[in-house]
C-alpha cells in the first residue's frame, strides 16, 4: 500500500469508527508529515482524497474538518466502495457473491459501456447484508481487458482496492444517475423488500484517469435503510 493510501485509510478508519467525530479537526499537515515520515505532497494527496469522497472539508486558515462520520449516508460527491464505508455500519455486515460470469458485450449493455462490441465483460452480482437484512444488490460490469484477474475472492473483499493496489490503476471519475425504479425479479429474490414496490437505483459509469471507462454498475438499495447526501461546494 502506498504511503498516501495508508494515511487516507487510517484517517478514514478514525472517521468511520467515530474516533474523529463530525466537526472534529483532522491532524495538521505538519503533524501527519511527522507521524508518517511523509512529504507534504503525500499528506495533501490523502487529505484531498478524503475531501473528494465527502468525508472532510478543508477550511482556509483553520484546517481540515470531518464532514460525515456516518457511512450509511450515500455520498453523491465521491467514488467510495462498500468496503471503504462499511466499518461504521455495525458488526453484522457481510457480502455474498451470487453471480460471477463473463460474456461478450452486446445488446442493451452497449449503451452503458464505452467498449467495442464483443469485448469480454465480467459481471458480478453481490448482496450486501446489514444487521441480517439484505439491503443492497450491486450489479457490476467490468471490461475484462482493462480489469483482468477478477475472481470471486476479490469480489467478496474490495474490487476497488484490487484495482488501485494490485493493478496500480487510478480511478478518476464517475457519471452517476439516481432514480426510483420498480422492483425487478432480482430485487424480489435477493433483497428483503418487506413489501416495497420500488428500490433506489444508483447507476455509475466509472472511468480511469486516462479516460477509459472500465465499469458500469447498478447499486440497488431498499428504501428503508439508506438516505442520500451530497456536499455542495461553490
Amino acid at each position: 500500500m502506498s504511503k498516501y493510501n495508508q494515511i487516507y485509510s487510517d484517517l478514514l478508519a478514525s472517521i468511520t469508527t467515530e474516533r474523529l467525530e463530525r466537526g472534529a479537526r483532522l491532524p495538521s499537515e505538519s503533524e501527519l508529515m511527522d507521524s508518517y515520515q511523509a512529504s507534504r505532497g503525500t499528506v495533501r494527496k490523502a487529505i484531498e482524497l478524503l475531501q473528494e469522497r465527502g468525508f472532510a472539508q478543508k477550511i482556509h486558515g483553520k484546517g481540515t474538518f470531518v464532514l460525515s462520520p456516518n457511512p450509511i449516508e450515500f455520498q453523491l460527491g465521491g467514488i467510495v466502495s462498500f468496503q471503504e464505508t462499511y466499518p461504521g455500519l455495525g458488526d453484522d455486515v457481510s457480502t455474498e457473491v451470487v453471480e460471477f460470469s463473463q460474456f461478450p458485450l452486446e445488446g442493451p449493455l452497449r449503451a452503458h459501456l464505452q467498449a467495442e462490441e464483443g469485448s469480454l465483460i465480467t459481471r458480478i452480482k453481490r448482496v450486501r447484508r446489514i444487521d441480517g437484512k439484505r439491503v443492497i444488490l450491486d450489479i457490476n460490469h467490468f471490461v475484462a481487458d482493462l480489469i483482468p484477474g477478477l475472481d470471486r475472492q476479490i469480489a467478496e473483499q474490495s474490487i476497488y482496492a484490487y484495482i488501485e493496489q494490485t493493478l496500480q490503476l487510478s480511478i478518476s471519475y464517475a457519471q452517476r444517475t439516481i432514480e426510483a425504479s420498480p422492483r425487478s425479479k432480482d430485487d424480489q429474490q435477493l433483497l428483503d423488500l418487506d413489501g416495497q414496490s420500488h428500490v433506489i437505483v444508483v447507476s455509475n459509469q466509472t472511468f480511469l484517469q486516462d479516460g477509459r471507462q472500465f465499469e458500469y454498475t447498478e447499486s440497488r438499495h431498499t428504501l428503508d435503510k439508506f438516505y442520500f447526501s451530497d456536499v455542495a461546494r461553490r
Side-chain angles (χ1 to χ4, degrees):
M1 180 182 294
S2 65
K3 186 158 287 188
Y4 90 86
N5 263 320
Q6 182 63 59
I7 298 170
Y8 165 78
S9 297
D10 289 350
L11 290 173
L12 179 63
S14 294
I15 292 170
T16 55
T17 58
E18 298 192 45
R19 290 197 297 271
L20 285 171
E21 298 180 349
R22 188 186 188 102
R25 183 180 176 278
L26 296 183
S28 68
E29 290 182 0
S30 296
E31 290 169 336
L32 291 170
M33 289 167 62
D34 289 341
S35 296
Y36 288 91
Q37 296 298 296
S39 69
R40 189 174 299 277
T42 297
V43 168
R44 284 182 176 173
K45 190 173 182 181
I47 292 174
E48 286 169 1
L49 194 55
L50 285 173
Q51 290 188 89
E52 289 172 5
R53 297 182 172 178
F55 288 100
Q57 173 64 59
K58 190 171 185 178
I59 300 175
H60 182 68
K62 294 185 177 180
T64 305
F65 297 85
V66 175
L67 275 178
S68 178
N70 185 354
I72 292 180
E73 296 179 10
F74 187 92
Q75 298 291 338
L76 302 185
I79 304 173
V80 187
S81 73
F82 185 80
Q83 289 291 326
E84 289 173 315
T85 60
Y86 86 79
L89 293 176
D91 296 326
D92 187 9
V93 178
S94 64
T95 293
E96 178 186 2
V97 178
V98 295
E99 181 184 331
F100 187 98
S101 60
Q102 291 188 317
F103 54 86
L105 177 61
E106 58 185 5
L109 188 59
R110 290 182 60 199
H112 302 291
L113 272 170
Q114 297 177 10
E116 294 291 329
E117 184 175 8
S119 299
L120 188 63
I121 302 300
T122 303
R123 178 165 62 201
I124 302 170
K125 293 184 182 181
R126 293 177 291 179
V127 174
R128 317 292 198 170
R129 288 181 184 264
I130 298 174
D131 297 330
K133 289 190 66 176
R134 299 174 299 173
V135 297
I136 306 173
L137 171 61
D138 284 335
I139 305 174
N140 305 85
H141 298 91
F142 294 96
V143 180
D145 283 346
L146 299 181
I147 312 298
L150 288 173
D151 57 29
R152 281 183 172 268
Q153 184 176 359
I154 293 169
E156 288 171 354
Q157 302 300 317
S158 174
I159 294 175
Y160 274 22
Y162 170 76
I163 291 171
E164 293 177 321
Q165 297 171 22
T166 301
L167 298 182
Q168 294 289 296
L169 295 172
S170 296
I171 299 170
S172 180
Y173 68 96
Q175 295 176 341
R176 177 172 294 155
T177 62
I178 301 174
E179 61 182 344
S181 176
R183 65 190 183 190
S184 67
K185 289 184 179 179
D186 273 352
D187 298 331
Q188 289 179 273
Q189 293 173 359
L190 299 172
L191 295 176
D192 293 321
L193 294 174
D194 297 330
Q196 298 168 28
S197 62
H198 287 68
V199 295
I200 296 295
V201 181
V202 182
S203 301
N204 284 301
Q205 294 172 290
T206 316
F207 297 78
L208 297 172
Q209 195 168 45
D210 61 11
R212 292 178 295 173
Q213 184 186 355
F214 70 91
E215 175 193 22
Y216 171 68
T217 288
E218 289 185 3
S219 188
R220 307 178 69 88
H221 299 246
T222 61
L223 296 175
D224 59 328
K225 186 67 176 177
F226 289 85
Y227 66 98
F228 302 91
S229 70
D230 194 8
V231 178
R233 296 183 178 91
R234 180 165 173 154

